[in-house]
Amino acid sequence: MFQLPVGPDGVRKASCNACGKVYSANPKAGTSNMKRHIPKCFDIDEPGPPKKRAPLNQAMYREKLAMSIIKHNYPFSYVEHEGTRELHKFLHNDVNFITRNTAKSDVLRLYDREKTILKDALQKVTSKICLTTDLWSSITTDGFMALTAHYVDNDWVLRKKVLNFRAIPPPHSGSILAEHLINFLADWGIEKKVFTITLDNAKYNDVLVECLKSHLLLNDGLVCDGDFTHVRCSAHVLNLIVQAGLKIIEGAIEKVRESVKYVRGSAARKSKFAECIQQLSLQCGKHVRQDVVTRWNSTYLMLDCALAYRRAYARLALVDFNYKTFPSEEEWARVERIKRLLKPFYDITTLFSGSSYPTSNLYFQQVWKIQLCIEEEIHNADRVIQDMAKDMKTKFDKYWENYSMVLSFAIILDPWYKIKLVEYCFSKLNITKEQRETKLTSIFDGMHKLYNEYDIRTERMHRSSVVESSNVDVLDELDGFETFESQFRSVEREKSQLTMYLEEPAVNRSQELDILQYWKDNQGRYPQLVLMAHENENEMEEGLVEDIEALIPTYDNSNF
C-alpha cells in the first residue's frame, strides 16, 4: 500500500500499489480492509514474492459460460451446481456467481446478437436463397419445425444456416405450417430472396407450397412465378423407392437377419464367432451389424457385412449345433444380388447427404443411374429380384418420372457435362425417341425461361444503378422505350451467353474442377449465367437427410 497525502476532508488514505484502489488509512480505524484486499489483488499462495493477479473480465466469463451451456446442452441450473462454482472459484477468486435465470438471459442475449449478425449477412447476399424444412417429433410427441437456408455468399462460399427450430402446436395442416413458414421468412427479411424450397413427400407439403407461393407472388418474390419453387427431397424419394422393394424380399433376407441376431445374442456366441473369423484370417474390418427395419440403409449394411463374413457363418454352423439359420448357397447368391442392387442407392444417399460441397449438379446423373439400374434388374433371371425391381419402378415413376426441372439445370451449368450428358442419359433409357425428345425440349425450354428471368433481373439492376447515379429526371414518355429495347437486347445476350456457353467445348473430365470457382472466374464472360449458377449450386438436400453412419451403432468389441 502507498500512503496518500491527507485530503481536504482530513481523512488519511492509501492506495494499492498493484491496482490503485484507494482505502482509508486512519491508524485508529485498523487495516482489516487492506488485508482483505491483498489476497484478491495478489497470488500470495504461490512461492516467492506476491504476484499481481490479473482482474477477471466478468462479461467475458459470463459469455463463455453461456456458450458452454449452448454447445453441450447443459441445463441452466448448471451454473448453480456446487461443484461448478467451486471449480470456477478455484480458477479465479474474483468470479461472481450467477443464477439460472441470469444464465438464461445471457444465452438469449447471445442468441439475439448472433441472429442480428446472420440477418445482416442474409441481407447482403445478392443471390436467391434455397430453403429446406421438415417436421420433427420429440419422444414426448411434441412437434417442431426446422427451417434451414442454403446459399452461396458473395465470396462464392457455400453456406448452410439453421434459421429456426420452433415448437409448432397441432394441427399440422399445410396451410397452418405455411403461415408459420411465412412468419419465419418475414422475421429474417428474406421473403423476396426465396428460390426453391425442398421438402419430403408428405401430402400436407403440397398444400404448404401452394400457400407459400401464393403469398410470395403477391410481393413479386418468386423466380418464374414459382414454376421451379417446389423440390422434392431426393433422399426421401430414394427411401420410398427402396422400402417398396424391401417389402418383396423380406423373406429372402430373413435367415441373414436371424444369423446376425444369433451371433449377437450372447457374449459366448460373439467370442465363438470371433474365433471363427480369426481361424479363417478374415481381415475385412467390418462390424457385425443388426439392421433396423425402418432404416433401409441399415439393412444394406447388414447384408454387406454378412457377405463379408459368409465363410465365418459357415464355420460357425459346423462347430455350433444350436445355430440353425445358416443360409443355403442359393440364398447367399440371392443376398449377393440384393446387395448389388441396393449399393447404388446407398452410395447416392450418402452422396446427397453431403453438406460441405454442392450437390445439385450431382442430382441428374445419380437419379439417372437409379432409373437405369432398376430397368436392368426388371429383366433379372431371379423372379424375386424381378418383383423387387418392378415395385421400385412403380415408386420411381410416381415421384421421378420427370426429373426435377430446376435440378436438371444444374447439370447443364456444370462445365464438365453441359447439355450433352442430358442427351446421353436419355438415350440409354428404355424410352421412345418421341419421349426422349419431349424430355429434352422440356428441360431446354425451362432453361431458357429461367435464363430470360435472370436476364430481365440483371437489366433492372443495371437500370436502377444508372438512375441512382444520375440526377437527371427520366421522362415519363420514354418509360416504355426501355422495356421495348430490353427485349431485343435480351435476345442478343442470350446468343452471346447461354448459346455460347453451350457451344463451348466442355472442360476435360480428367481435370480437377471446383464448380463454384469456375463460375466465380467467369463472371465477366457470363454475368446472367453466373447469377443462375450462383443460385442453382446452393440447391441442397441436407437437413432432411440423416447421417448414414449415425443410424447404426458401432461397437469396439472386436467385430461387434
Side-chain angles (χ1 to χ4, degrees):
M1 290 289 181
F2 175 76
Q3 190 170 348
L4 299 174
V6 178
D9 56 0
V11 178
R12 188 177 297 277
K13 296 183 180 181
S15 65
C16 176
N17 292 331
C19 65
K21 193 168 185 178
V22 178
Y23 288 91
S24 174
N26 191 338
K28 295 181 180 180
T31 57
S32 298
N33 55 349
M34 289 182 280
K35 290 181 178 179
R36 283 193 296 268
H37 171 72
I38 290 175
K40 296 180 180 180
C41 194
F42 291 89
D43 288 323
I44 60 176
D45 294 333
E46 293 186 5
K51 299 176 182 177
K52 184 179 181 299
R53 175 186 290 129
L56 175 65
N57 187 329
Q58 299 288 348
M60 183 60 69
Y61 161 72
R62 285 174 55 175
E63 181 171 322
K64 293 292 185 183
L65 196 56
M67 187 60 72
S68 68
I69 291 173
I70 296 170
K71 282 185 176 181
H72 304 291
N73 199 27
Y74 293 147
F76 293 124
S77 59
Y78 161 78
V79 299
E80 296 180 347
H81 293 170
E82 183 180 354
T84 300
R85 290 187 166 183
E86 288 177 352
L87 172 62
H88 295 175
K89 196 69 174 179
F90 169 76
L91 294 174
H92 205 294
N93 199 51
D94 292 348
V95 64
N96 293 330
F97 299 129
I98 61 175
T99 65
R100 66 185 69 189
N101 290 330
T102 303
K104 179 181 177 181
S105 299
D106 288 346
V107 168
L108 292 176
R109 189 181 302 110
L110 188 60
Y111 168 78
D112 289 337
R113 187 187 73 189
E114 293 300 319
K115 180 178 179 180
T116 301
I117 294 173
L118 177 57
K119 194 171 181 178
D120 291 342
L122 291 175
Q123 297 305 314
K124 295 175 182 177
V125 173
T126 56
S127 67
K128 295 286 187 177
I129 296 172
C130 296
L131 305 173
T132 56
T133 185
D134 197 13
L135 291 182
W136 176 82
S137 295
S138 69
I139 194 171
T140 57
T141 69
D142 295 322
F144 293 83
M145 186 176 189
L147 176 66
T148 307
H150 311 276
Y151 61 95
V152 177
D153 66 18
N154 296 335
D155 294 324
W156 287 84
V157 177
L158 190 63
R159 302 291 185 187
K160 181 185 85 168
K161 301 293 181 181
V162 178
L163 302 184
N164 293 90
F165 189 83
R166 187 75 58 83
I168 304 294
H172 294 157
S173 63
S175 57
I176 292 177
L177 292 176
E179 184 178 351
H180 285 291
L181 185 57
I182 290 167
N183 291 334
F184 292 163
L185 298 178
D187 182 39
W188 287 97
I190 57 174
E191 310 102 302
K192 293 188 176 183
K193 287 179 174 284
V194 176
F195 181 37
T196 64
I197 180 167
T198 301
L199 310 104
D200 63 21
N201 293 282
K203 190 65 178 177
Y204 59 77
N205 280 332
D206 293 334
V207 179
L208 183 156
V209 171
E210 291 305 314
C211 293
L212 178 65
K213 286 168 62 176
S214 298
H215 174 82
L216 296 180
L217 283 171
L218 293 175
N219 298 321
D220 192 27
L222 287 180
V223 176
C224 295
D225 295 328
D227 290 352
F228 310 125
T229 300
H230 189 189
V231 178
R232 298 185 183 275
C233 174
S234 299
H236 189 258
V237 175
L238 281 172
N239 180 62
L240 295 175
I241 293 172
V242 179
Q243 290 288 4
L246 289 179
K247 291 178 182 178
I248 302 297
I249 60 155
E250 190 63 31
I253 63 176
E254 190 58 35
K255 281 192 176 182
V256 172
R257 182 176 290 120
E258 291 302 318
S259 295
V260 174
K261 286 182 180 179
Y262 180 83
V263 168
R264 294 172 52 84
S266 69
R269 294 174 188 171
K270 290 180 182 179
S271 179
K272 187 175 290 187
F273 190 70
E275 290 177 5
C276 294
I277 294 174
Q278 186 176 9
Q279 291 169 358
L280 294 169
S281 300
L282 299 178
Q283 303 293 335
C284 68
K286 295 181 182 292
H287 296 290
V288 177
R289 298 179 181 270
Q290 176 70 58
D291 70 332
V292 180
V293 292
T294 57
R295 303 292 186 187
W296 73 265
N297 37 28
S298 69
T299 301
Y300 166 79
L301 292 171
M302 180 187 71
L303 299 180
D304 182 49
C305 174
L307 288 166
Y309 292 124
R310 176 176 175 178
R311 291 167 56 207
Y313 283 109
R315 186 173 186 84
L316 182 65
L318 296 176
V319 300
D320 188 347
F321 298 106
N322 294 320
Y323 173 40
K324 306 291 186 182
T325 57
F326 179 67
S328 65
E329 289 298 317
E330 182 180 352
E331 289 168 331
W332 278 120
R334 178 168 290 163
V335 168
E336 177 68 43
R337 289 192 290 270
I338 293 171
K339 179 241 175 179
R340 189 170 60 249
L341 176 57
L342 293 180
K343 188 178 188 307
F345 290 86
Y346 178 82
D347 292 341
I348 291 169
T349 301
T350 304
L351 189 66
F352 282 165
S353 301
S355 60
S356 60
Y357 51 85
T359 59
S360 58
N361 58 313
L362 308 175
Y363 166 85
F364 183 90
Q365 188 177 1
Q366 301 305 322
V367 174
W368 168 72
K369 287 180 181 178
I370 291 296
Q371 185 174 5
L372 202 63
C373 179
I374 292 174
E375 288 184 355
E376 289 176 356
E377 295 301 335
I378 285 177
H379 305 290
N380 196 298
D382 189 323
R383 185 60 181 269
V384 173
I385 303 298
Q386 268 190 41
D387 294 340
M388 178 183 180
K390 287 178 181 177
D391 275 35
M392 294 170 80
K393 181 70 163 59
T394 301
K395 281 289 184 182
F396 184 96
D397 291 342
K398 180 179 179 180
Y399 294 109
W400 274 346
E401 183 176 11
N402 295 313
Y403 299 177
S404 179
M405 179 73 73
V406 69
L407 286 170
S408 298
F409 300 158
I411 194 67
I412 299 175
L413 292 173
D414 189 330
W416 263 353
Y417 302 111
K418 301 189 178 183
I419 193 68
K420 291 301 181 183
L421 180 68
V422 179
E423 297 174 354
Y424 172 79
C425 290
F426 285 155
S427 71
K428 293 296 181 180
L429 296 177
N430 186 25
I431 56 177
T432 64
K433 181 180 179 181
E434 289 73 21
Q435 290 174 320
R436 181 168 65 251
E437 290 178 350
T438 299
K439 288 178 179 290
L440 284 169
T441 301
S442 176
I443 292 176
F444 202 69
D445 289 347
M447 184 77 173
H448 277 77
K449 181 178 182 179
L450 185 63
Y451 173 80
N452 290 335
E453 178 89 5
Y454 281 88
D455 190 39
I456 294 172
R457 193 206 303 183
T458 305
E459 179 62 27
R460 287 175 180 170
M461 293 169 59
H462 175 71
R463 289 173 57 193
S464 175
S465 63
V466 171
V467 171
E468 289 177 0
S469 62
S470 174
N471 294 323
V472 180
D473 293 333
V474 180
L475 295 176
D476 293 339
E477 292 82 356
L478 296 180
D479 280 348
F481 176 71
E482 296 292 339
T483 304
F484 174 78
E485 187 186 27
S486 67
Q487 297 176 1
F488 296 94
R489 290 203 301 265
S490 175
V491 174
E492 293 172 1
R493 276 190 295 273
E494 181 179 349
K495 291 180 180 178
S496 63
Q497 289 189 39
L498 180 58
T499 303
M500 185 188 344
Y501 166 75
L502 293 177
E503 292 177 351
E504 193 176 69
V507 175
N508 193 324
R509 290 174 57 198
S510 63
Q511 299 179 10
E512 291 189 8
L513 175 68
D514 183 334
I515 190 169
L516 294 180
Q517 187 63 44
Y518 172 87
W519 285 109
K520 181 180 180 180
D521 294 340
N522 283 274
Q523 292 180 83
R525 297 177 62 205
Y526 307 123
Q528 278 80 18
L529 285 179
V530 164
L531 273 177
M532 292 176 61
H534 205 271
E535 294 167 12
N536 273 273
E537 291 307 328
N538 57 8
E539 177 60 49
M540 302 293 289
E541 301 280 348
E542 80 282 355
L544 304 179
V545 184
E546 298 180 65
D547 181 53
I548 302 301
E549 294 299 329
L551 298 175
I552 313 298
T554 56
Y555 303 89
D556 294 327
N557 179 13
S558 182
N559 298 96
F560 301 92

